[in-house]
C-alpha cells in the first residue's frame, strides 16, 4: 500500500495536469446561475427546480431550461407553470427568428396543457390568478400563429405583460418579463430608443434591489446596446458574467457593451470565456456567436493572427447547420470580416455563399464577392453581384422582412458605389455611398452581430480619401468613430486624412477608445 501511494505521488508530480483534470472531472464546479424567486402554486418540492429553469431562461439557455421544466412536470404533472416554462423556451424574444415555425406545434401543445390545468379546480398546481395571466400572456404568442403576423402577436404579448406587471408591482418576475417584452418589440428605426429607455427605467431600480438576479443585468445590456446608451451599460456588463458564470450567454453578453465602447481587450476576454463554456456544453450556436464577436474584437485590436486562428477553428468544426440563422450568420460573417477588413480583395472574390443559409446570410457572402470585384477594378462583374443583392432584397421585402431587406439594400448600394469608383465616376460613387451611410445610420443593428462588416460611413471616408479629399474624409471618419468607437479602419483612416490635410492628430496606433 505504501509503495502504491509513493507511485501515485510520483505520478502526480510528473503529470500534474492529468491529475488536475481527473480531479475536475470528479468534482465539477457548482452551478452558478444567479438568484431568482418565482413562487408558484405547485408542490413545494418542485419550487427550487422551477426557479432554476427560470434562471436558465433569463440567460437564454433554452435547452437546459426546457429540461428543467420537464423535470418539474415529471415530479408534479398538475403544475401548470411547468408547461408555461416549456412553452417559454421556444420563444427566443431577442433572437431571430423569435419563434421558429418548426417548434410552434410543440409550443402550442404545451401552452394549451398549461391553460387546461389552470382552468381546472383550485387544487395544487392549477395556478393562481397571477399564474393564469402569465400563461394567458404567452398564449398570445402561439395563438393563430399560422394566420396572424408575429409582430401583432408580440405586441399582444407585450400588452398582456404590461397589464400583469401593473397589477403585480411587487412581483419581480412580472416586471422583468415585461421589460423583456418591451425589448422584443423595439423598432430598429427608432433612434430615440424609447422602448429601451422604458425597459431600463423598469430594470434599474430592480438592479439595485436584486443585485444577483441574472435577467436584470442581461436585459439592461440589451437596452443599452446602442451608441446613445452604451456608456450607461458598463456596470451591468461588469456584473452579469459574475452573477451567472455557468451560462455561456452570460459570459458573452458583456461584450455587447464592450464592443459599443471599443473596449477590445474586455470583449476578447468575455468571448474567449463564452466560446470555451459553450463548447463544453455543446451549444454550437452560442459558441459561434461568441467566436464572431471574438474575430471582430481581434481585428479591431490588430491581432490578425489570433483572428485567423479562430477562423481556422471554424473550418475544423463538424458539419454546421447553415440553415440555423445564428449558426449560418456567424459562420459566414467571420471569414468575410477577416478578408474585407484586411482588404484581401482577391480572397473575397472566391467566397461562395452557403445555399442552405437564409437569404440575408447569403447576401453577406454575395456582398463580399461584389466588394472584392469592385475594389479589384472589375466593375462589370461586381454589378452582377449587385443584381443578385437586389434580387435578395426583393425576396426579403416580399416575405415581409423589411429590416433585412433594408440592410441588403444598403449592401447593394455599397457595391454600386465602389463599382462607380472603379468606372471613374467619383461623384456617383460618393452619392451612392452617402445614401448607404445615411440609411445605415438610421437603423440599429440586431444583437446577432457586433456591427456591419465595415460601416458604410467608414467606407465613405475611405472613398473620399481615395478621391484625394482628406478634409471631407476626416468628417466622415469622425462620425464613424462616434457611432462605433475604436474601430481600427476608421482610426487609421482618420490618421491618414489628418496627415494628408496637414491637420495635427495622433497616429492611429496611439489613439485609444474611451474607458
Amino acid at each position: 500500500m505504501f509503495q502504491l501511494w509513493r507511485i501515485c505521488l510520483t505520478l502526480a508530480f510528473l503529470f500534474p495536469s492529468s491529475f488536475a483534470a481527473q480531479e475536475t472531472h470528479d468534482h465539477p464546479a457548482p452551478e452558478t446561475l444567479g438568484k431568482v424567486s418565482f413562487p408558484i402554486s405547485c408542490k413545494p418540492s418542485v419550487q427550487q427546480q422551477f426557479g432554476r429553469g427560470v434562471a436558465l431562461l433569463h440567460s437564454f439557455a433554452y435547452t437546459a431550461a426546457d429540461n428543467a421544466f420537464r423535470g418539474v412536470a415529471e415530479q408534479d404533472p398538475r403544475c401548470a407553470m411547468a408547461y408555461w416554462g416549456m412553452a417559454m423556451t421556444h420563444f427566443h424574444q431577442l433572437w431571430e427568428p423569435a419563434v421558429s415555425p418548426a417548434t410552434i406545434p410543440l409550443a402550442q401543445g404545451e401552452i394549451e396543457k398549461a391553460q387546461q390545468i389552470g382552468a381546472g379546480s383550485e387544487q395544487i398546481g392549477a395556478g393562481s390568478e397571477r399564474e393564469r395571466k402569465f400563461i394567458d400572456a404567452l398564449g398570445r404568442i402561439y395563438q393563430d400563429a399560422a394566420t396572424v403576423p408575429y409582430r401583432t402577436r408580440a405586441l399582444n404579448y407585450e400588452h398582456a405583460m404590461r397589464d400583469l406587471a401593473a397589477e403585480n408591482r411587487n412581483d419581480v418576475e412580472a416586471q422583468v418579463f415585461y421589460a423583456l417584452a418591451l425589448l422584443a418589440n423595439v423598432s430598429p428605426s427608432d433612434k430615440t430608443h424609447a422602448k429601451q429607455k422604458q425597459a431600463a427605467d423598469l430594470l434599474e431600480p430592480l438592479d439595485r434591489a436584486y443585485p444577483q438576479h441574472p435577467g436584470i443585468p442581461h436585459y439592461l445590456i440589451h437596452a443599452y446596446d446602442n451608441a446613445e446608451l452604451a456608456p450607461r451599460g458598463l456596470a451591468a456588463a461588469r456584473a452579469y458574467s459574475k452573477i451567472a458564470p455557468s451560462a455561456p450567454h452570460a459570459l458573452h453578453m458583456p461584450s455587447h457593451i464592450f464592443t459599443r465602447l471599443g473596449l477590445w481587450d474586455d470583449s476578447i476576454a468575455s468571448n474567449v470565456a463564452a466560446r470555451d463554456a459553450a463548447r463544453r456544453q455543446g451549444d454550437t450556436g452560442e459558441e459561434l456567436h461568441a467566436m464572431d464577436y471574438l474575430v471582430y474584437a481581434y481585428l479591431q485590436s490588430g491581432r490578425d493572427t489570433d483572428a485567423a486562428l479562430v477562423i481556422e477553428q471554424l473550418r475544423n468544426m463538424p458539419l454546421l447547420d447553415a440553415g440555423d440563422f445564428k449558426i449560418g450568420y456567424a459562420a459566414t460573417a467571420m471569414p468575410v470580416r477577416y478578408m474585407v477588413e484586411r482588404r484581401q480583395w482577391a480572397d473575397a472574390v472566391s467566397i461562395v455563399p452557403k445555399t442552405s443559409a437564409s437569404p440575408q446570410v447569403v447576401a453577406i457572402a454575395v456582398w463580399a464577392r461584389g466588394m472584392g470585384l469592385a475594389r479589384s477594378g472589375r466593375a462589370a462583374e461586381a454589378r452582377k453581384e449587385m443584381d443578385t443583392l437586389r434580387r435578395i432584397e426583393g425576396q426579403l421585402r416580399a416575405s415581409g422582412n423589411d429590416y433585412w431587406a433594408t440592410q441588403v439594400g444598403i449592401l447593394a448600394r455599397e457595391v454600386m458605389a465602389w463599382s462607380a469608383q472603379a468606372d471613374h465616376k467619383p461623384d456617383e460613387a460618393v452619392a451612392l455611398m452617402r445614401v448607404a451611410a445615411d440609411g445605415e445610420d438610421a437603423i440599429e443593428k440586431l444583437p446577432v452581430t457586433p456591427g456591419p462588416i465595415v460601416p458604410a460611413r467608414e467606407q465613405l471616408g475611405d472613398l473620399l480619401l481615395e478621391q484625394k479629399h482628406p478634409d471631407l474624409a476626416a468628417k466622415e471618419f469622425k462620425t464613424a468613430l462616434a457611432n462605433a468607437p475604436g474601430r481600427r479602419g476608421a482610426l487609421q483612416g482618420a490618421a491618414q486624412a489628418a496627415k494628408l490635410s496637414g491637420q495635427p492628430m495622433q497616429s492611429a496606433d496611439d489613439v485609444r477608445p474611451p474607458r
Side-chain angles (χ1 to χ4, degrees):
M1 180 65 72
F2 177 74
Q3 186 66 23
L4 178 61
W5 177 85
R6 289 187 63 184
I7 292 172
C8 289
L9 184 62
T10 301
L11 288 172
F13 277 108
L14 289 174
F15 305 105
S17 60
S18 298
F19 274 69
Q22 182 65 40
E23 183 177 356
T24 301
H25 176 75
D26 291 341
H27 305 285
E31 185 178 58
T32 306
L33 297 167
K35 296 180 181 178
V36 169
S37 177
F38 195 147
I40 52 173
S41 59
C42 302
K43 292 179 180 178
S45 60
V46 303
Q47 179 66 65
Q48 184 177 356
Q49 177 78 336
F50 181 82
R52 176 176 175 271
V54 174
L56 288 163
L57 265 184
H58 283 314
S59 287
F60 293 175
Y62 294 117
T63 300
D66 184 62
N67 291 334
F69 292 126
R70 290 185 184 282
V72 171
E74 288 173 5
Q75 295 179 60
D76 185 0
R78 298 296 301 168
C79 179
M81 288 300 285
Y83 297 95
W84 167 88
M86 293 179 210
M88 277 294 289
T89 66
H90 304 296
F91 184 23
H92 303 170
Q93 296 179 59
L94 302 183
W95 290 2
E96 187 171 325
V99 180
S100 170
T103 66
I104 286 177
L106 177 60
Q108 286 173 329
E110 290 163 348
I111 202 67
E112 287 169 6
K113 179 75 170 176
Q115 290 168 333
Q116 289 167 4
I117 296 172
S121 66
E122 294 301 317
Q123 64 186 346
I124 291 176
S128 64
E129 182 64 18
R130 160 183 159 274
E131 291 169 41
R132 281 191 282 272
K133 288 187 176 180
F134 267 104
I135 292 166
D136 175 67
L138 182 57
R140 301 182 187 203
I141 287 295
Y142 301 116
Q143 184 178 1
D144 300 323
T147 56
V148 177
Y150 167 74
R151 281 295 158 206
T152 301
R153 290 179 281 127
L155 281 172
N156 290 340
Y157 172 75
E158 178 195 320
H159 295 157
M161 290 305 303
R162 176 197 61 200
D163 295 342
L164 177 58
E167 294 166 8
N168 298 271
R169 294 192 181 279
N170 294 323
D171 187 323
V172 176
E173 293 308 310
Q175 309 305 315
V176 173
F177 277 110
Y178 173 42
L180 177 57
L182 286 167
L183 294 173
N185 286 323
V186 160
S187 170
S189 60
D190 178 16
K191 299 297 282 189
T192 70
H193 306 114
K195 287 199 172 182
Q196 291 97 321
K197 291 172 183 175
Q198 188 180 353
D201 287 344
L202 281 171
L203 295 168
E204 284 174 344
L206 295 173
D207 191 36
R208 294 188 288 271
Y210 303 94
Q212 292 301 308
H213 191 291
I216 295 170
H218 183 183
Y219 307 145
L220 277 172
I221 291 170
H222 279 292
Y224 297 139
D225 189 7
N226 52 74
E228 178 192 359
L229 302 176
R232 290 170 55 182
L234 202 51
R238 300 283 187 212
Y240 183 31
S241 62
K242 297 180 177 68
I243 292 169
S246 297
H249 195 67
L251 298 173
H252 156 75
M253 270 307 300
S255 70
H256 283 239
I257 298 299
F258 300 149
T259 298
R260 285 289 187 178
L261 299 177
L263 303 178
W264 306 123
D265 290 344
D266 292 310
S267 182
I268 289 165
S270 176
N271 285 297
V272 166
R275 177 199 60 189
D276 294 347
R279 184 179 300 161
R280 287 193 299 271
Q281 296 182 23
D283 189 340
T284 302
E286 195 65 30
E287 181 182 356
L288 285 167
H289 185 53
M291 288 167 68
D292 185 27
Y293 271 73
L294 184 57
V295 166
Y296 187 85
Y298 276 145
L299 289 171
Q300 303 321 310
S301 55
R303 296 172 60 176
D304 294 5
T305 301
D306 290 321
L309 287 173
V310 176
I311 293 167
E312 187 61 27
Q313 291 165 2
L314 167 68
R315 293 185 178 126
N316 291 331
M317 292 176 76
L319 186 63
L320 298 172
D321 178 12
D324 181 311
F325 179 76
K326 191 175 182 182
I327 291 173
Y329 182 91
T332 301
M334 274 186 267
V336 168
R337 289 188 199 286
Y338 185 79
M339 294 174 194
V340 174
E341 288 257 27
R342 300 178 75 251
R343 302 171 185 250
Q344 295 177 310
W345 305 124
D347 292 335
V349 169
S350 68
I351 291 174
V352 178
K354 294 178 173 61
T355 55
S356 60
S358 61
Q360 57 267 44
V361 171
V362 170
I364 296 169
V366 174
W367 169 83
R369 283 172 53 84
M371 288 286 288
L373 289 164
R375 299 300 296 270
S376 301
R378 297 158 65 181
E381 293 171 84
R383 282 192 285 273
K384 293 179 182 177
E385 304 300 330
M386 181 271 294
D387 290 340
T388 301
L389 288 171
R390 286 300 191 195
R391 284 197 296 272
I392 294 172
E393 179 188 3
Q395 178 185 350
L396 289 165
R397 194 80 65 190
S399 69
N401 196 335
D402 288 339
Y403 175 84
W404 280 110
T406 298
Q407 294 286 12
V408 173
I410 291 167
L411 298 180
R413 285 190 179 89
E414 291 171 357
V415 174
M416 290 169 66
W418 287 111
S419 297
Q421 176 70 4
D423 274 342
H424 309 291
K425 299 176 181 178
D427 292 343
E428 181 181 337
V430 169
L432 285 165
M433 191 65 79
R434 193 173 294 283
V435 171
D438 291 345
E440 190 172 83
D441 289 351
I443 192 168
E444 290 288 354
K445 76 173 187 67
L446 296 184
V448 71
T449 170
I453 306 298
V454 178
R457 186 70 57 186
E458 184 179 311
Q459 292 185 57
L460 179 55
D462 286 337
L463 187 59
L464 289 165
L465 268 184
E466 193 163 307
Q467 294 181 7
K468 310 219 182 304
H469 299 304
D471 291 341
L472 296 176
K475 294 178 182 178
E476 303 303 335
F477 286 126
K478 182 178 179 180
T479 302
L481 287 166
N483 293 335
R487 269 194 54 85
R488 184 184 178 193
L491 289 169
Q492 291 176 337
Q496 186 179 356
K499 181 179 179 180
L500 292 173
S501 62
Q503 298 296 320
M505 181 176 174
Q506 292 174 289
S507 71
D509 290 336
D510 290 334
V511 177
R512 294 292 179 265
R515 286 188 174 268

